[in-house]
Amino acid sequence: MRTQVGIVGAGPAGLLLAHLLHRAGIDSVVLEARSRDYVENRIRAGVLEHTTEDLLISTGLGARLRREGLPHRGVHLRFGGRDHRIDFAALTGRHVTVYSQHKVVQDLIAARCAADLPILFEATDVAVHDLTTDRPRITFRHAGAAHELACDIIAGCDGFHGICRSAIPPGVLRIFERVYPFAWLGILAEAAPAADELIYASHDRGFALLSMRSPELVRLYLQCAPDEDLEAWSDDRIWAELAARSARPGFALNQGPIVQRSLTPMRSFVAEPMRHGRLFLAGDAAHIVPPTGAKGLNLAVADVAVLARGLEAFFRRGDPAGLDAYSATCLDRVWKVQRFSWWMTSMLHRFDSHTPFERHMQRAELDYLAGSAAASTALAENYVGLPL
Ligand code: FAS
Ligand code: PHB
């Protein structure tokens, strides 16, 4: 088999890259370890930055997004029993859109299949070779047979636990990491949102986030121990803890059947550089942010927008400049988004190791935000998305 760009991973990064390359007349093959059903129903992120929404719509992926996406013009910070609304529209003129990641993946796969373009699900034993030559290769097994894909470029879009980053020889990458002393217990429940917008609740018992997927489906999160046993959390215990952490006079959570629960570990992670020879890392394969800032999916989109532009110049005009600048261009945004995600996480979560002074610093940060247009604007412009 041969193609111009071999893409490992059919998450948002790999699928959007394949979509953008096809629109630029560049051939690619997507190799995915899991089944189509698995990747299309994996519940993860829920918030699209305006740049992500604009890119999806401008590249022909806006039909369902326009129908089912929920524009959100602000979020609420809840602390000390009161709310402070961050008014995105007034402060930045922008909004975000609540639209589940699994729908983005479904839309991208549907577009790929409608164009009859190659995407191989349940590809196993994927391995990348000859990365520092101009003829890199991907070997894999599919439908019971061994295959080799000769390509000009390999895009490592295989997430944090994929094989592409680890295929880079030791000593090449600089790794930066912070592991947080907590995780998020997330649930999907058949209940109406208790508010029109997201609520980030900072409480002495721990952080809680009240998000949503539709007028009938909520996505709720609780800060918990990093090694929390999900079995120890009955539905009643989850609802009681969510209610306690989001309590405010006149507010009541709507409860309903919990249809999915998950545990998401919290880390900040960056691997530099995001390129090794003809291998380009994008999305979670290169970086992880704590989900507090709603950035993981959006950062993956930003990476592949840069990579697609660089590949178009490379294949159309033989101009390598975009690819040579890829890592530095992406990392400039990655580190700003890492900072914002770390800041939101540090401000809103409870750290058992915190001294009373540090807890006062957290509360002072929230009080300052609530009283300062400048501080609220800084949060808003990061949350809606930095310019691409
Ligand atoms: P992905 O991990 O989405 O996709 C990588 C793909 O590569 C997967 O389909 C995987 O099966 C495939 N793959 C892996 N190894 C392979 C191999 N060897 N061969 C072939 N294919 C291989 N972000 C938010 O903003 N908000 C959230 O609430 C949120 N919740 C999350 C919950 C969980 C449990 C996780 C893990 C992440 C969450 N994220 C969240 C972050 C998430 O949305 C990612 O940022 C986003 O999926 C990144 O997309 P990709 O880079 O495409 O990686
Ligand atoms: C979600 O809806 O899954 C979500 C929203 C905002 C976040 C994290 C997750 O910061």
Side-chain angles (χ1 to χ4, degrees):
M1 293 169 77
R2 187 178 210 302
T3 189
Q4 290 173 292
V5 181
I7 299 174
V8 183
L15 290 166
L16 182 57
L17 177 62
H19 180 70
L20 297 177
L21 292 178
H22 174 60
R23 289 174 61 88
I26 298 166
D27 294 333
S28 64
V29 173
V30 180
L31 301 175
E32 167 57 48
R34 298 284 193 154
S35 69
R36 175 172 179 176
D37 180 63
Y38 182 90
V39 297
E40 286 193 334
N41 293 290
R42 186 171 42 190
I43 300 300
R44 280 190 172 168
V47 173
L48 305 185
E49 293 178 346
H50 72 93
T51 44
T52 297
E53 182 188 30
D54 293 349
L55 183 61
L56 293 174
I57 290 173
S58 65
T59 58
L61 294 160
R64 186 164 73 154
L65 174 50
R66 282 200 171 102
R67 283 199 313 273
E68 299 179 16
L70 305 172
H72 278 222
R73 292 171 178 79
V75 292
H76 297 261
L77 303 179
R78 180 167 293 176
F79 59 96
R82 64 194 174 96
D83 280 358
H84 171 66
R85 181 170 185 266
I86 303 289
D87 188 339
F88 299 148
L91 295 168
T92 70
R94 302 280 192 187
H95 67 276
V96 296
T97 298
V98 170
Y99 188 70
S100 185
Q101 175 174 318
H102 79 286
K103 290 184 178 180
V104 174
V105 167
Q106 288 170 359
D107 296 344
L108 282 161
I109 291 174
R112 184 104 182 134
C113 294
D116 197 23
L117 294 168
I119 178 168
L120 278 67
F121 294 101
E122 299 178 83
T124 58
D125 302 328
V126 175
V128 293
H129 312 274
D130 303 335
L131 299 177
T132 53
T133 73
D134 59 4
R135 303 183 69 76
R137 299 174 296 120
I138 305 175
T139 55
F140 62 96
R141 292 191 65 81
H142 186 258
H147 299 272
E148 176 170 293
L149 178 64
C151 12
D152 300 307
I153 297 285
I154 297 176
C157 302
D158 50 346
F160 185 69
H161 301 291
I163 53 96
C164 287
R165 187 179 70 246
S166 52
I168 297 174
V172 172
L173 292 175
R174 298 179 299 279
I175 301 296
F176 304 86
E177 186 167 26
R178 178 188 175 97
V179 177
Y180 297 89
F182 40 74
W184 277 10
L185 187 165
I187 65 167
L188 209 55
E190 291 169 350
D196 295 339
E197 295 175 332
L198 274 59
I199 297 173
Y200 288 78
S202 181
H203 192 280
D204 286 346
R205 298 175 66 93
F207 171 77
L209 170 59
L210 312 184
S211 184
M212 61 194 76
R213 289 291 179 272
S214 74
E216 302 81 27
L217 197 63
V218 290
R219 179 72 165 150
L220 310 176
Y221 297 97
L222 279 173
Q223 173 188 346
C224 63
D227 57 353
E228 192 69 55
D229 174 11
L230 275 181
E231 295 307 311
W233 286 80
S234 68
D235 290 7
D236 288 346
R237 182 184 175 197
I238 291 173
W239 287 116
E241 196 58 36
L242 283 165
R245 297 184 190 185
S246 62
R248 193 209 65 188
F251 176 82
L253 264 181
N254 299 314
Q255 297 192 16
I258 296 177
V259 294
Q260 200 249 25
R261 51 174 69 195
S262 62
L263 202 63
T264 301
M266 302 280 275
R267 74 175 75 239
S268 300
F269 175 92
V270 179
E272 289 188 1
M274 292 171 55
R275 173 190 187 178
H276 178 62
R278 289 294 181 97
L279 171 66
F280 292 81
L281 301 177
D284 278 17
H287 41 69
I288 294 284
V289 285
T292 323
K295 291 302 167 200
L297 165 59
N298 296 293
L299 208 42
V301 167
D303 286 350
V304 299
V306 174
L307 184 52
R309 272 201 307 272
L311 288 169
E312 187 172 357
F314 176 74
F315 283 110
R316 277 198 178 159
R317 302 188 299 278
D319 175 2
L323 293 182
D324 292 343
Y326 168 74
S327 182
T329 304
C330 288
L331 287 168
D332 178 65
R333 182 188 188 90
V334 165
W335 280 112
K336 290 170 184 169
V337 171
Q338 285 285 355
R339 182 211 64 85
F340 175 68
S341 302
W342 161 83
W343 174 70
M344 286 282 279
T345 303
S346 305
M347 176 174 65
L348 292 166
H349 287 74
R350 182 177 175 83
F351 291 73
D352 292 341
S353 63
H354 269 182
T355 63
F357 176 81
E358 287 164 316
R359 289 203 179 127
H360 270 287
M361 288 301 98
Q362 282 185 313
R363 180 56 188 265
E365 185 87 57
L366 288 164
D367 286 333
Y368 174 56
L369 261 173
S372 163
S376 294
T377 302
L379 189 158
E381 70 177 8
N382 280 279
Y383 197 101
V384 300
L386 300 174
L388 268 183

